[in-house]
Amino acid sequence: MSQGLNIKNLQSIKSEYVSGIEDRYLPVNRIKGGLSGADSIGQNRAVKLAELAGYPENIDSLFVYFYKGDSFSLLFLGEDPNRELARYCLLDEFNKYFWPELYELYKHCQSLNKIQMRIREREHRDNRERKSVADDNKSRSGNGFSPQSMLNIANILLSCSSRDRLLENYAEYLISTFGMTKVAIFTSNQKDSFTAVRIGKLTESSLKNKELSAGSQIYNLIMDRKTDAVITLPISDMTSENKSDAFVRGQKYTLMSRIYSNDKVAAVALIGDRADGRAYTETDLVYLAGLSNIAGLALDNIARYDLVEKLSFTDSMTELYNYRYFYKRLSEEIYRAKRYSRELALVIFDIDNFKLINDSYGHQAGDEVLKNLARLVLSSARAIDVVSRYGGEEFCVIMPDTGRDSCEIFIERLRKMIAEHEFVVDKSGQPRFITVSCGGAIYPGDGQTIDRLIYCADMALLEAKSGGRNRSLMWSAAIQERVLKNNNATPNENIPENKDES
């Protein structure tokens, strides 16, 4: 035992054998949670070592210990030549802390192994996609192409769930199939221009921050719906000194292939000469056009998927994230904060006396208050903050990398800003004023689990309301004492555990 335990070497034992050991030993040989009398399975042949899957070999001084916790059972088989561990296991205090901690550490290692397996599976899948693209190219001969090859690349493109993956596969297929010297992909943006996108290892340094802007000859060619989807670029006629045109001339691109999505040009591929010097044929242009059409259909699918995902995570009235997304994101942010040893703030606030607004001005006026409040909070939050509608008139803000002092300043500033804001909720144009009560809590100081952190922020909010409304409070031990006293509860009753969920 002087060398300690190597957690990576811990292995699981089949559950049916553990159940058999519990049934045969515990009724007569249980002492402080362990096996006594014959504390080596080798001495008691009721269960043979050969029956235990994963039993460690070459152990001379075998120590066996069975620990039954509240939510798990653990069978330990290991080497204990000096009977150090056996002596410790006679102490209740040791067993109370050691075995549960060992079990949690083991579960953590198992989780890491699963994550690594998923990463390897994703890498294998990506490699299979690339290999499939390369294998398909072999089916083409001369300037022709195989219908099966087109079907295979169509399946690959249409199965992509992200735009970047789609464009990367598209560009890789063009280069490997036609032997192109270069391919640059530009996507449409909100500024009447097309911006170069990074596509894995294919992106050249010369493309960084490049745009095909409105007013250039290349931009006019892109937007010309009278021409085919794939055209030969008239480089000799592009004499403009515009930066976009000068860039295209300098790079000596030969072809342009447009990808349409939702009846608009979503992306453009600028294609260089072939490495072997051969010219592109009419068959090649037809093949490129077909490939661009497939890529356009794939972009449509991705856009629909993104829309469905957005609708599933968005509150339809305020256009903020909904509770489902809030809970998912809070889980991710807590994991990130734990991994990098950082703090995380959670703020929950709701409108004071919101029912009076509905009763006095109507539910449509109440809806307008919620919409205006959502926009106001978004304008005051940072880009990294996550603002969500928790439900009804209650909202929450997840604030990564935020400690107690910063959170306290934020919720007080938020409360004052809302109290001073003029809300116009009906046709009269008469401004209305509302107030909110805010509660805040900090990970890991106040809560280390999702439910515990929500509980602390929510209790701080309720304390702010009970103290007269239009207040902001951070969670504190004093608040918990008052909550327990008012509810006649014990610290463990109806209160989420503050135990790390790793």
Side-chain angles (χ1 to χ4, degrees):
M1 289 302 298
S2 58
Q3 294 181 351
L5 295 175
N6 187 340
I7 300 300
K8 293 183 178 180
N9 289 340
L10 293 181
Q11 301 184 42
S12 299
I13 297 175
K14 290 184 178 179
S15 60
E16 58 264 31
Y17 298 133
V18 175
S19 298
I21 292 173
E22 182 177 359
D23 293 343
R24 276 175 268 184
Y25 280 88
L26 289 182
V28 293
N29 294 332
R30 183 175 184 181
I31 292 182
K32 297 186 183 299
L35 301 178
S36 66
D39 65 351
S40 166
I41 291 183
Q43 296 175 20
N44 189 327
R45 297 297 177 180
V47 177
K48 295 180 180 179
L49 293 178
E51 295 177 352
L52 298 176
Y55 167 71
E57 300 178 355
N58 302 322
I59 291 183
D60 296 327
S61 303
L62 179 67
F63 173 72
V64 177
Y65 190 85
F66 184 88
Y67 178 84
K68 187 171 182 62
D70 294 334
S71 59
F72 70 95
S73 297
L74 184 148
L75 178 65
F76 178 83
L77 297 91
E79 193 170 15
D80 189 18
N82 300 321
R83 298 188 62 77
E84 249 179 83
L85 184 57
R87 287 194 295 273
Y88 278 116
C89 287
L90 295 175
L91 303 175
D92 289 337
E93 194 70 14
F94 175 83
N95 294 325
K96 178 181 177 182
Y97 291 102
F98 178 75
W99 298 111
E101 287 296 328
L102 180 63
Y103 178 67
E104 289 297 322
L105 189 56
Y106 171 71
K107 284 200 305 181
H108 181 65
C109 290
Q110 292 294 91
S111 299
L112 290 178
N113 289 336
K114 290 179 181 179
I115 293 173
Q116 291 172 351
M117 286 180 62
R118 287 197 293 268
I119 292 174
R120 286 194 294 269
E121 289 172 358
R122 180 61 184 266
E123 290 174 348
H124 291 330
R125 185 166 64 254
D126 292 345
N127 290 335
R128 285 198 300 270
E129 286 181 3
R130 292 187 175 91
K131 185 177 184 302
S132 178
V133 170
D135 291 343
D136 290 340
N137 297 335
K138 296 179 181 179
S139 65
R140 301 183 72 249
S141 58
N143 292 332
F145 62 90
S146 164
Q148 183 62 43
S149 173
M150 177 68 87
L151 180 60
N152 290 342
I153 186 58
N155 287 334
I156 291 173
L157 295 181
L158 292 172
S159 66
C160 293
S161 59
S162 71
R163 188 200 67 169
D164 292 343
R165 169 62 66 184
L166 167 66
L167 295 178
E168 182 176 351
N169 284 336
Y170 172 77
E172 285 183 351
Y173 198 81
L174 292 182
I175 289 178
S176 59
T177 301
F178 294 94
M180 298 169 176
T181 55
K182 63 180 71 175
V183 172
I185 304 291
F186 292 77
T187 57
S188 177
N189 57 36
Q190 302 299 321
K191 300 185 297 182
D192 292 331
S193 63
F194 290 80
T195 305
V197 297
R198 180 174 180 82
I199 44 176
K201 299 178 181 178
L202 303 178
T203 303
E204 301 176 8
S205 58
S206 59
L207 294 176
K208 187 176 181 180
N209 300 325
K210 292 296 181 182
E211 287 191 351
L212 307 178
S213 57
S216 64
Q217 289 177 281
I218 185 65
Y219 182 85
N220 293 337
L221 283 173
I222 294 172
M223 304 306 294
D224 186 0
R225 300 297 295 266
K226 296 179 182 179
T227 58
D228 296 331
V230 180
I231 64 171
T232 301
L233 288 174
I235 296 297
S236 59
D237 297 334
M238 298 176 64
T239 58
S240 167
E241 294 302 319
N242 184 282
K243 290 182 179 180
S244 300
D245 296 327
F247 166 74
V248 174
R249 285 198 308 271
Q251 294 295 312
K252 298 180 180 180
Y253 291 115
T254 305
L255 300 178
M256 179 182 74
S257 179
R258 286 167 288 190
I259 301 175
Y260 288 90
S261 176
N262 197 24
D263 202 34
K264 296 179 181 179
V265 181
V268 178
L270 298 182
I271 300 168
D273 291 328
R274 277 178 162 156
D276 58 9
R278 289 188 298 121
Y280 294 106
T281 66
E282 287 297 323
T283 303
D284 292 330
L285 299 185
V286 170
Y287 183 72
L288 283 170
L291 200 59
S292 295
N293 289 338
I294 294 171
L297 292 174
L299 279 178
D300 286 340
N301 289 342
I302 292 171
R304 293 188 188 98
Y305 174 82
D306 291 342
L307 178 60
V308 170
E309 185 178 47
K310 179 182 177 181
L311 291 175
S312 69
F313 285 142
T314 305
D315 175 61
S316 59
M317 180 186 297
T318 62
E319 296 185 354
L320 297 177
Y321 292 118
N322 59 18
Y323 176 80
R324 181 187 295 110
Y325 183 83
F326 158 74
Y327 201 87
K328 170 180 174 290
R329 188 63 181 273
L330 182 57
S331 174
E332 295 169 350
E333 292 299 336
I334 285 179
Y335 173 79
R336 186 177 292 110
K338 177 187 175 185
R339 181 178 181 184
Y340 296 105
S341 300
R342 294 174 179 172
E343 289 185 305
L344 167 73
L346 174 62
V347 175
I348 300 180
F349 66 94
D350 76 355
I351 302 173
D352 297 326
N353 299 316
F354 184 68
K355 186 176 183 299
L356 293 179
I357 298 176
N358 287 330
D359 293 344
S360 302
Y361 308 108
H363 286 83
Q364 288 181 326
D367 293 345
E368 286 301 315
V369 168
L370 294 175
K371 294 176 185 178
N372 292 337
L373 179 60
R375 289 192 288 267
L376 185 62
V377 176
L378 279 176
S379 67
S380 65
R382 302 171 301 176
I384 62 172
D385 296 337
V386 181
V387 183
S388 306
R389 185 183 180 190
Y390 194 77
E393 67 273 22
E394 198 165 9
F395 299 81
C396 50
V397 185
I398 302 172
M399 305 179 68
D401 297 323
T402 303
R404 178 172 295 273
D405 292 342
S406 298
C407 181
E408 193 166 11
I409 293 172
F410 171 79
I411 60 177
E412 180 59 17
R413 186 178 74 243
L414 179 68
R415 183 194 65 79
K416 289 182 178 179
M417 179 183 66
I418 294 173
E420 296 169 358
H421 185 76
E422 296 181 353
F423 289 84
V424 178
V425 298
D426 53 28
K427 294 181 180 179
S428 68
Q430 183 70 24
R432 314 293 180 188
F433 293 91
I434 65 172
T435 62
V436 297
S437 298
C438 309
I442 305 297
Y443 170 90
D446 298 332
Q448 298 180 14
T449 68
I450 301 174
D451 293 334
R452 173 70 181 186
L453 198 61
I454 294 174
Y455 168 82
C456 293
D458 201 30
M459 289 299 103
L461 164 63
L462 294 178
E463 183 72 10
K465 280 190 169 297
S466 66
R469 297 184 175 86
N470 193 21
R471 302 171 65 216
S472 62
L473 286 178
M474 296 295 295
W475 168 260
S476 64
I479 293 178
Q480 176 157 335
E481 289 180 6
R482 284 193 290 272
V483 170
L484 295 176
K485 182 179 179 180
N486 293 338
N487 296 336
N488 294 320
T490 64
N492 295 322
E493 184 179 4
N494 300 324
I495 298 177
E497 292 184 1
N498 191 22
K499 182 180 180 182
D500 199 340
E501 292 179 336
S502 61

